[in-house]
Structure formats: C-alpha cells, structure tokens
Amino acid sequence: MLEELKEIVYEANMELPKRGLITYTWGNVSGFDKESGYFVIKPSGIDYDSMMPEDMVVMNLNGEKVEGKYKPSSDTPTHIELYKKYPDIGGIVHTHSSFATSWAQAGRDIPLYGTTHADYFYGEIPCVRSLTHDEINNEYEKNTGLAIIETLGKKGMNPLYTPGILCTNHGAFTWGKEPLEAVHNSVVLEEVAKMAYYTESINSNVKPAPKDIANKHFFRKHGENAYYGQN
Amino acid sequence: MLEELKEIVYEANMELPKRGLITYTWGNVSGFDKESGYFVIKPSGIDYDSMMPEDMVVMNLNGEKVEGKYKPSSDTPTHIELYKKYPDIGGIVHTHSSFATSWAQAGRDIPLYGTTHADYFYGEIPCVRSLTHDEINNEYEKNTGLAIIETLGKKGMNPLYTPGILCTNHGAFTWGKEPLEAVHNSVVLEEVAKMAYYTESINSNVKPAPKDIANKHFFRKHGENAYYGQN
Amino acid sequence: MLEELKEIVYEANMELPKRGLITYTWGNVSGFDKESGYFVIKPSGIDYDSMMPEDMVVMNLNGEKVEGKYKPSSDTPTHIELYKKYPDIGGIVHTHSSFATSWAQAGRDIPLYGTTHADYFYGEIPCVRSLTHDEINNEYEKNTGLAIIETLGKKGMNPLYTPGILCTNHGAFTWGKEPLEAVHNSVVLEEVAKMAYYTESINSNVKPAPKDIANKHFFRKHGENAYYGQN
Amino acid sequence: MLEELKEIVYEANMELPKRGLITYTWGNVSGFDKESGYFVIKPSGIDYDSMMPEDMVVMNLNGEKVEGKYKPSSDTPTHIELYKKYPDIGGIVHTHSSFATSWAQAGRDIPLYGTTHADYFYGEIPCVRSLTHDEINNEYEKNTGLAIIETLGKKGMNPLYTPGILCTNHGAFTWGKEPLEAVHNSVVLEEVAKMAYYTESINSNVKPAPKDIANKHFFRKHGENAYYGQN
C-alpha cells in the first residue's frame, strides 16, 4: 500500500546523507497521505546504505503500525502531533545537522539576518522551550511535538510561513507541503544557521534585517503576488 | 541567436554549484554581447541539473525579452543597471555564497588583509548601504543596481579594479570582462571573505595591510606593468 | 592467525580517512581477541593507500609481537593498558581529528550540550590531565594509557558509558565493544566536539543540558530499556 | 633535462589542488637538483587542469632560465634565496591555504598547542615581519626570501626543524628534503593552523604545550632516536 509515497519518502530520506545533513542514522523523513489519513516514515536505526523503499513503515495517526516489517522511527510520536495539528503539512524532517543543532544547543532563535533566510522563513526561526522533567520522562517524543505546537501558537506563526523549528538541546524539525519540500527546508535551515553564526562573529552588534526585506523576499517567492521562478 | 554566448553563460552558471558557491538555484550569471547590445541570462528558479544552454534567456537593456521560453532571473533589473552604467563589463554573477553573504548580513566592508585579496580587488570590498522602504517596495531589483552604482561612485572606485560588492542583508554581486572572469571573481570573493573572518578571529586588533602591498600585488597582475602569468 | 580480526581491524582503519578523521597516517585502530588474549593493530607509519589486511600486527598484552612483518603503531602501549584494565573493550581508536584535538589542545572537557552527545556519551567527555616531565620522558605511551584510566577512575566513569576521552595537547582515544563501534564513537566524538564549539560561540553563557535529557537519550539507546533501533 | 625531477615537481604541484591547499593557480612547488645546481619550478599562472610535466621550468640560482617554454612562477626569486642559503633543502612550496594564510594576515606566530604540531615543527611556526616600503617596491619576491632567512636566523631556528613559515599579509612557504615532503609539510601547516585557531576559540586563556611534549614528539619522529614508522 501507498507504494508511491513510500518511494517518495525513501528518496527524501536518501537526500539527508547526500546533502550532508546527517551522520549515520541521525535523521528521519515522513510523508502524509491525505486520502487514507496514514503516513509513511523511515524505520528506526536502519543504515541508509542498505535501506530500500519497501522498508518504509506505514502508520496511522493513533500511532499504530498499519504495514511494515520494521519498527518506525523513535521520533514517530512527534510527527503524529504535527500532522494532527497542521493539516496543510504533507512532509516532516528531523535532523541533527551541525549548525542548526548548535543553535538549538545554544537555546536561541535564529534571527532573520538576510534574504536567504527571508526567502523561506517569514521571521526568526524559533527555538522551543526546554521540556520539563515530567515531559521528558513520560511520552518524551509526543511532548516534543506538543512543545513545537505551543511555540508556534504563542508566537502566532503560520507553520507554512515558518516551516521549521529548533528543539533546545536536541536538533531541528522542518516540514513542508510534501516530503521533498520539507528536506529542502532542512537544507535552507542549515545554511541559514551557518550564516547567522558567521554574521554574529563578523559583527557582534548586528541587528536583524529590516521588516521590509523580510516582507519583500518572502512574498517574492510565496503567495499570490510571487514572481520568482516560472509560475 | 547568440548561441555561443548562451553556451558560455550556461557554462558559467554551471560553475556556481561546481565551485560550491550556491545551494539549489540561489545564483545567476549573465553575459553581455557588445555588438547587439543584448545580454544572455539564466532563467528564474530553474534546477541546475536539468538546465540546458538553450534555456538561457536573451534580453535587451530595456528589460524586454528578445528570445527564450522562460522568464529571466528575478535579478535581471540589477544586471541591466550595471551593464548600462559600465560598458567595460561583459559578465555579472549573483550568489549567496556563505562567507560573502555573512559579511553582507553583518553590513561590513571586507578590509584588505592580504595579497590574496590584493591580487584581485584594489582596496576594500564595499558593502552597499541598506535600501530605503520605498526602494525595497518599488522596483527593488533595479534599486539594488542603482545602490551598487551609487556606492562605487561615492568611493571613486573603478569597477574593473573592484570587481564585486556586497549588498547588505542580501548577498554578493561580482563582474568581469566576460562571464567566466565574473565567476572567477565570485570564487575569489568567497575565499577572501572566509580568510578575513578567520583573520579577525585570530587577531581582534588586526589592521588592514599596508597600501604598498595592495599596490604591489594588484599591479603585479593588472595593467601595463603586470608580470604575473605568461603575457 | 586471527585472519578475520585482521580483516575487521583493517576495515576499521580504512574508515578513518573515509570519514575524514585523519590526515596521512595520524591514527590507528586495534581489535582484541578474547579467546587468545591477543590483539591486532595497525603497523606504524604505513600509508593507508597501500595498506593490506595482512599488514596488521598481532601483539600480546605484554607488548610482544606475536606475528607480523611490520612494527606496530607507536601508540601500542596505550592500547595495551586499556585492554588490560577494561575487559569489556574489544576495539580502540586513536585519532587527531580536528575538533576533538582542538578541545584536547584547549585542555577542556566537552560539556554535554545536547542529545547527539547524550545518545552516545553519558555525561561530559573528559580531558585527561597533562602528563608530568617523568611520565613524558619514560614510557610516554604507556603513561598515556595509565592517565586515561586514572581519569575515568577518579570520575567514577564506566568506560562503556564514556567510550572516549581527550588527551591534553594531543588527541583523542575512543573505544567500543568491537573495532567498528570504536570508530563509530570517534565519528560521534568529532561531530559532538564541533557542535559544542559552535554552541559556545553562539551563546557564551550556555549551560550544559539538564540531567534529564542525558538520562533519557542515553538509555533510549543503551541498556535493558532501550527502544531505539530494531532490537 | 632533469626529466625525473620535472615529473616529481609536476606531481608535487598536482598535490596542491588535490589536498585542498590552493584555489586556481595560487601556489607553486619547486625541486632542487644538487648535482647540476639547477632547480625545477612550476610555470607562472598556468591552469592545473592542463599542466604537463614538460611545462615545468628549469632555472639556475642566478635566476636565469635554463630550459622551458614558459616563464617561471613569479615567486621564483623567493625560492632562489632559500635554496642558496639552505643547502639541505630539496623542495619548496608556496600556498595561500586558508588557515595558514589567515594566521599570516593576522601577523601572528602559530603557538605549539599539541603533538600534531610537535610531530613536524619544533616550536612555534614563525610569522615574518612586514616588509618595508622599499623592500616591497624593489625586488619584492627576493626580499620575501631574505626576510624569511632573517627570521629563522634571529630565532636561531634550524630550517629542517622548522620546515615552514608565514609571510605577513601574504601566505605560507614550506620546504623539505624533497618536493613531496615540502607538500606534506604544507598539509600539516594548514591542519595545525586550523586547530590552533579552534583551540584559542575554545579556550581564550590557553597556553602553549609544555616543552617536554615538543621534545618528545619531534624526536619520536626525527633524528637518531626516532622510533615512529618502520625505520
């Protein structure tokens, strides 16, 4: 079942090592099928070199395995909370990519310093608060998802305008309308995280870019007045 | 028409991912044909993997498409302003390369710290002022070009002696007598931006190199007394 | 003799350049055979390009060569002390990988800043004290091993929960239940060292991650309640 | 003439891009032939992709071309001064490798922070003083060589124990008993420069390694009591 989506999710997972976003098995991609309400996700701890499309696991939003010989990624409950909350999301990625994770470990939002950022993220990329003792020790992965939702909600952020977030002391999640777009956003997040780090090193008094730049560049690529690309 | 220039512009664009200067489609190269007064530029948002020489777009300096099935790069109005102002320029490159963009985001000129810089850029590499609210919201890309020209003018800089510039909160433009030379200058700019960053980290009190070094190295490679290379 | 282990140790050594952990011959891997009490180690100063499985050297724990045409790695006495002290260790790696070595040169423990670290190392990655004049000038490599053991002992660390350490002004040693696991831990150490460096640069007031995170992630992957992977 | 040395010098030059030490044509290697008193050097500004062994230029120590269709590297007078002064040197390399050049631009000696450095360089890697106005404007490349010699002399350094140096605001020179050893020392210098930079970033109060470490590691690999490798 969902053979086409398995192929897509497989290809999206294989982009992670190809793009230098992961070491060993430290990442996962899932894709959601709106018709069935199921999603397809990478199995837990499987080597990318030997992984095949048919190894992808089909799950429902109650966290039950629908099909697959392997256990799903241990981060599956995080994916479930995001799919349940945000029906427009069709793909989710988790990585420990070096610069994004360093901002997450530093516990800081990534300020919007330029147009590379503004082309994809409308405003800062937020860093989720630390989880409490209880949240860590009971249903940790589910609570990770709930804390992401809490952060976007408090900031009044549209998840399609802020297609990624940092989890303190952990790593990054990104998402998109489909799995490869979510991977694309992980690549952007890592590049933006790297340049924000260098930017602050080059000018310790740097201020975020003016709101005009953020508006101009985001809406040059997104929404009904977009004029970038061939559409 | 201009088949040879399309081939050259195509090859120059393909150098950008090969040299690690761009992620996805974040860059563009154009080349100017003095005889016809037309220029050839990369289409907007096209994947480098599938792009072909015949996909290049032919434009005139009024911003009208002369030939091509695709829309030109969204940065086309910036290229136009530079070609109109500087008749000696035959190629222009725009990238978001990591270190150059980080200096741009930091809003700082890159000081001349050594001979690698002095071999190609005669003096600091300037960072253009921020655009105003009106400049951003009306003809943004054209105004980017005008602000570059304003900066070079105020500093009394010869564009062939300063073959590149940083746009605050954005990225870099470089140029040259022909497209591949402009790409070459983008590679140099990125390397120089990286080393200037490290240099300041290693010695926070560092001063720019003496003017003697700048003169010696620039004119060792440029002008009638040059003695580097085989000419 | 021990042909299978030689093959494994050879493959583990070849992972070092492949994973970017070494320059030239600056590293070595060994593997221990519990049945015979012998271990197999890379020869000293041999080029990785021309090295073959049959070039590996078989040694006993008295430091005597049992088989092999080459001299063993000059770090062999360090490996011996670790194998003698820790019977659960089946593989040891030494590298000068860039970020781990920079922490060692800085003489600092690597704080636990996130889950990438916590998935493999239970607590900070310690930096061994400087050796004394006498320790350096008499049986230097043996004393390096003894100082590692002293450090783990003083901190009450289980070597399988802290599968690697930094030697001040020198480089890193990692270990594991078998040689490829020890190499895996070297890759993790280098990535963790890199991200800890960036983390402190991004937030100079950063604090180590809460103990809850360390417990959660380490025991998600290790021990009887582990639930990561397919086992 | 000197066909074998041309082949060696060619191979040594080709190592520079392969090892990531140069961008475009920013480097050169030469090799000295004791019997004839001639040396072989890379031609100036020739593309590495199209260069052939027969393109190497044969020079004498008076700076006269003995054989070759191309002009020699513009840095030839620097090589000449070093060969004239130090008869034990058989190969010289010049690069603008990123980290070494950044230390040179910062105008600082690279302190000995660890054994990676101590295995090859006995003590700090010195940074030559700035050249004077006259030294830059008359026989610049020759004066670069003389200033290197002045620095080694004032510090009482043995060029075979300090096989490389930084030229302020410029780049690095390394040397060795033969050309490939000189390239090897360029690779080491770049790695050591990188780690020294990280080391100071990780611990801003770091002190150089104890002299005992420097002695132990240098003489473990060099001199009559060396015991590293197979000799």
Side-chain angles (χ1 to χ4, degrees):
Chain A
M1 64 190 300
L2 300 176
E3 300 306 320
E4 196 185 356
L5 183 57
K6 279 183 199 165
E7 189 74 48
I8 290 170
V9 169
Y10 167 77
E11 291 293 345
N13 272 290
M14 296 308 286
E15 278 283 290
L16 301 185
K18 191 180 144 201
R19 294 281 177 179
L21 295 176
I22 61 164
T23 304
Y24 294 120
T25 63
W26 307 347
N28 45 73
V29 183
S30 70
F32 189 72
D33 177 60
K34 284 185 184 167
E35 208 171 311
S36 63
Y38 298 154
F39 66 101
V40 170
I41 192 164
K42 179 179 161 287
S44 183
I46 295 291
D47 196 335
Y48 281 77
D49 287 343
S50 59
M51 195 164 66
M52 303 286 281
E54 57 265 33
D55 298 335
M56 301 298 108
V57 185
V58 182
M59 302 289 295
N60 69 24
L61 291 182
N62 296 322
E64 294 153 350
K65 181 155 78 176
V66 176
E67 191 202 67
K69 63 186 164 194
Y70 289 118
K71 286 165 56 186
S73 164
S74 56
D75 295 306
T76 296
T78 313
H79 293 240
I80 288 175
E81 293 309 312
L82 297 177
Y83 284 131
K84 279 163 64 180
K85 179 69 180 184
Y86 304 123
D88 291 340
I89 289 179
I92 297 173
V93 178
H94 173 54
T95 80
H96 290 218
S97 69
S98 305
F99 286 98
T101 300
S102 296
W103 281 87
Q105 293 191 158
R108 288 186 57 201
D109 301 346
I110 303 178
L112 190 159
Y113 286 132
T115 61
T116 320
H117 182 134
D119 279 339
Y120 294 91
F121 289 83
Y122 185 61
E124 80 273 13
I125 301 168
C127 188
V128 175
R129 67 167 172 77
S130 297
L131 300 189
T132 65
H133 177 83
D134 282 355
E135 286 171 332
I136 290 171
N137 288 296
N138 298 295
E139 302 194 287
Y140 170 65
E141 290 84 2
K142 177 182 177 177
N143 290 325
T144 297
L146 292 176
I148 291 171
I149 292 166
E150 174 194 311
T151 302
L152 292 175
K154 279 195 179 165
K155 289 184 173 258
M157 283 173 150
N158 174 343
L160 289 182
Y161 283 17
T162 304
I165 207 160
L166 307 174
C167 293
T168 299
N169 297 131
H170 186 179
F173 283 86
T174 63
W175 44 80
K177 288 195 286 291
E178 44 86 28
L180 279 168
E181 186 183 295
V183 172
H184 192 117
N185 289 332
S186 279
V187 173
V188 172
L189 169 55
E190 179 64 4
E191 182 66 19
V192 163
K194 178 172 70 177
M195 297 202 298
Y197 164 59
Y198 295 157
T199 298
E200 295 190 351
S201 298
I202 291 167
N203 181 353
S204 60
N205 295 314
V206 68
K207 295 281 175 295
K211 192 73 183 171
D212 287 325
I213 287 284
N215 281 318
K216 177 67 188 177
H217 271 263
F218 191 78
F219 295 111
R220 192 168 89 149
K221 281 204 169 179
H222 302 84
E224 57 183 25
N225 295 315
Y227 60 94
Y228 181 92
Q230 297 300 328
N231 304 311
Chain B
M1 63 189 301
L2 300 176
E3 300 306 320
E4 196 186 354
L5 184 57
K6 279 182 199 163
E7 189 75 46
I8 289 171
V9 169
Y10 166 78
E11 291 293 344
N13 272 290
M14 295 309 287
E15 278 284 290
L16 300 185
K18 192 180 143 200
R19 294 281 178 180
L21 294 176
I22 62 165
T23 303
Y24 294 121
T25 63
W26 307 346
N28 45 74
V29 183
S30 71
F32 188 73
D33 177 60
K34 282 184 184 166
E35 207 170 311
S36 64
Y38 298 155
F39 66 100
V40 170
I41 191 163
K42 179 179 162 286
S44 182
I46 295 291
D47 195 336
Y48 281 77
D49 287 343
S50 59
M51 196 164 65
M52 305 285 281
E54 58 264 35
D55 298 334
M56 301 298 108
V57 185
V58 182
M59 301 289 296
N60 69 25
L61 290 183
N62 296 320
E64 293 153 349
K65 182 155 78 177
V66 177
E67 191 202 68
K69 62 187 167 197
Y70 289 118
K71 287 165 57 185
S73 164
S74 57
D75 296 306
T76 296
T78 312
H79 292 241
I80 288 175
E81 293 309 312
L82 297 177
Y83 284 131
K84 280 164 64 180
K85 179 69 181 183
Y86 304 122
D88 291 339
I89 289 179
I92 298 173
V93 178
H94 172 54
T95 80
H96 291 217
S97 69
S98 306
F99 287 97
T101 300
S102 297
W103 281 86
Q105 293 191 156
R108 289 187 55 201
D109 301 346
I110 304 178
L112 191 159
Y113 286 131
T115 63
T116 320
H117 181 134
D119 279 339
Y120 294 91
F121 289 83
Y122 185 60
E124 80 273 13
I125 301 168
C127 188
V128 174
R129 66 166 172 78
S130 297
L131 299 187
T132 65
H133 177 83
D134 282 356
E135 286 171 332
I136 290 170
N137 288 296
N138 297 294
E139 301 195 286
Y140 170 64
E141 291 84 2
K142 178 182 177 177
N143 290 325
T144 296
L146 293 176
I148 291 171
I149 292 166
E150 175 194 311
T151 301
L152 292 175
K154 279 195 178 165
K155 289 185 172 260
M157 283 174 151
N158 175 342
L160 289 182
Y161 284 17
T162 303
I165 207 159
L166 307 174
C167 293
T168 300
N169 297 131
H170 187 180
F173 283 87
T174 62
W175 44 80
K177 288 195 285 293
E178 44 88 27
L180 280 168
E181 186 184 296
V183 172
H184 192 116
N185 288 332
S186 279
V187 173
V188 172
L189 169 56
E190 179 64 5
E191 182 65 19
V192 163
K194 178 172 69 179
M195 297 202 298
Y197 163 60
Y198 296 157
T199 298
E200 295 190 350
S201 298
I202 292 167
N203 181 352
S204 60
N205 295 314
V206 68
K207 294 282 176 295
K211 192 72 183 172
D212 287 324
I213 286 285
N215 280 318
K216 178 66 188 179
H217 271 263
F218 191 78
F219 295 111
R220 192 168 88 149
K221 281 204 170 181
H222 301 84
E224 56 183 27
N225 295 316
Y227 60 95
Y228 181 91
Q230 298 300 328
N231 304 310
Chain C
M1 63 190 297
L2 299 176
E3 300 305 320
E4 196 186 355
L5 184 57
K6 279 182 199 166
E7 189 75 46
I8 289 170
V9 169
Y10 167 78
E11 292 293 345
N13 272 290
M14 296 309 287
E15 278 284 291
L16 300 185
K18 191 180 144 201
R19 294 278 177 181
L21 294 176
I22 61 164
T23 304
Y24 294 120
T25 63
W26 307 347
N28 46 74
V29 183
S30 71
F32 189 72
D33 177 61
K34 282 184 185 170
E35 206 171 313
S36 64
Y38 297 155
F39 66 100
V40 169
I41 192 164
K42 178 179 162 286
S44 183
I46 294 291
D47 195 335
Y48 281 77
D49 288 343
S50 59
M51 196 164 64
M52 305 285 282
E54 58 265 33
D55 297 336
M56 300 299 107
V57 186
V58 181
M59 301 289 297
N60 69 24
L61 291 182
N62 297 321
E64 294 153 350
K65 182 156 78 176
V66 177
E67 191 202 68
K69 62 186 166 195
Y70 289 119
K71 286 166 57 185
S73 165
S74 57
D75 296 306
T76 296
T78 313
H79 292 242
I80 289 175
E81 293 308 312
L82 298 177
Y83 284 130
K84 279 164 63 180
K85 178 69 180 182
Y86 304 123
D88 292 339
I89 290 179
I92 298 173
V93 178
H94 173 54
T95 80
H96 290 217
S97 69
S98 305
F99 287 98
T101 300
S102 296
W103 282 86
Q105 293 192 157
R108 289 186 57 199
D109 301 346
I110 303 178
L112 190 159
Y113 286 132
T115 62
T116 320
H117 181 133
D119 280 338
Y120 295 90
F121 289 83
Y122 185 62
E124 79 274 14
I125 300 168
C127 188
V128 174
R129 67 165 172 77
S130 297
L131 300 188
T132 66
H133 177 84
D134 282 354
E135 286 171 331
I136 291 170
N137 289 296
N138 298 294
E139 301 196 285
Y140 171 63
E141 291 83 2
K142 178 182 176 177
N143 290 326
T144 296
L146 293 177
I148 291 171
I149 292 165
E150 174 195 311
T151 302
L152 292 175
K154 280 195 178 166
K155 289 185 173 259
M157 283 174 151
N158 174 343
L160 289 182
Y161 283 17
T162 304
I165 207 159
L166 307 174
C167 294
T168 299
N169 296 132
H170 187 178
F173 283 87
T174 63
W175 45 81
K177 288 194 286 293
E178 44 87 29
L180 279 168
E181 186 184 294
V183 172
H184 191 117
N185 288 332
S186 279
V187 173
V188 172
L189 169 55
E190 179 64 5
E191 182 66 19
V192 163
K194 179 172 70 178
M195 296 202 298
Y197 164 59
Y198 295 157
T199 297
E200 295 189 352
S201 298
I202 292 167
N203 182 353
S204 60
N205 295 315
V206 68
K207 294 281 175 296
K211 193 73 183 172
D212 287 325
I213 287 284
N215 281 317
K216 177 67 188 177
H217 271 264
F218 191 78
F219 295 110
R220 193 167 86 149
K221 281 204 171 182
H222 301 83
E224 56 183 25
N225 295 316
Y227 60 93
Y228 181 91
Q230 298 300 327
N231 304 312
Chain D
M1 63 190 299
L2 299 177
E3 301 305 321
E4 196 186 354
L5 183 57
K6 279 182 199 164
E7 189 74 47
I8 290 170
V9 169
Y10 166 77
E11 292 293 345
N13 271 291
M14 296 308 287
E15 278 283 292
L16 300 185
K18 192 180 142 200
R19 294 281 178 179
L21 294 175
I22 61 165
T23 303
Y24 294 121
T25 63
W26 306 347
N28 45 74
V29 183
S30 71
F32 189 72
D33 177 61
K34 282 184 185 169
E35 207 169 313
S36 64
Y38 298 155
F39 66 100
V40 169
I41 191 164
K42 178 178 162 288
S44 182
I46 295 291
D47 196 336
Y48 281 78
D49 287 342
S50 59
M51 196 165 64
M52 304 285 282
E54 57 264 35
D55 298 336
M56 300 299 107
V57 185
V58 181
M59 302 289 297
N60 69 24
L61 291 182
N62 296 320
E64 294 153 350
K65 181 156 79 177
V66 177
E67 191 202 68
K69 63 187 166 195
Y70 289 118
K71 288 165 56 184
S73 164
S74 57
D75 295 306
T76 296
T78 312
H79 293 241
I80 288 175
E81 293 308 314
L82 297 177
Y83 284 130
K84 280 164 63 180
K85 179 70 180 181
Y86 305 123
D88 292 339
I89 290 179
I92 297 173
V93 178
H94 172 53
T95 81
H96 291 216
S97 68
S98 305
F99 287 97
T101 300
S102 296
W103 281 87
Q105 293 191 157
R108 288 186 56 200
D109 301 346
I110 303 178
L112 190 158
Y113 286 132
T115 62
T116 320
H117 181 134
D119 279 339
Y120 294 90
F121 289 83
Y122 185 61
E124 80 273 14
I125 300 168
C127 188
V128 174
R129 68 166 171 78
S130 297
L131 299 188
T132 65
H133 176 84
D134 282 356
E135 285 172 332
I136 290 170
N137 288 295
N138 299 295
E139 302 196 283
Y140 170 64
E141 291 83 3
K142 179 183 175 176
N143 289 325
T144 296
L146 292 176
I148 291 170
I149 292 165
E150 175 195 311
T151 302
L152 293 175
K154 280 195 178 166
K155 289 185 173 258
M157 284 174 151
N158 174 344
L160 289 182
Y161 284 17
T162 304
I165 207 160
L166 307 174
C167 293
T168 300
N169 297 132
H170 188 178
F173 283 87
T174 62
W175 44 80
K177 287 194 287 293
E178 45 86 29
L180 279 168
E181 186 184 295
V183 173
H184 191 116
N185 288 332
S186 279
V187 173
V188 172
L189 169 55
E190 179 64 5
E191 182 65 19
V192 163
K194 179 172 70 179
M195 296 201 298
Y197 163 59
Y198 296 158
T199 298
E200 295 189 351
S201 298
I202 291 167
N203 181 353
S204 60
N205 296 314
V206 68
K207 294 281 175 294
K211 193 73 183 170
D212 287 324
I213 286 284
N215 281 318
K216 177 67 187 177
H217 271 264
F218 190 78
F219 295 110
R220 192 168 87 148
K221 281 205 170 182
H222 302 83
E224 55 184 26
N225 295 316
Y227 60 95
Y228 181 91
Q230 297 301 327
N231 304 310

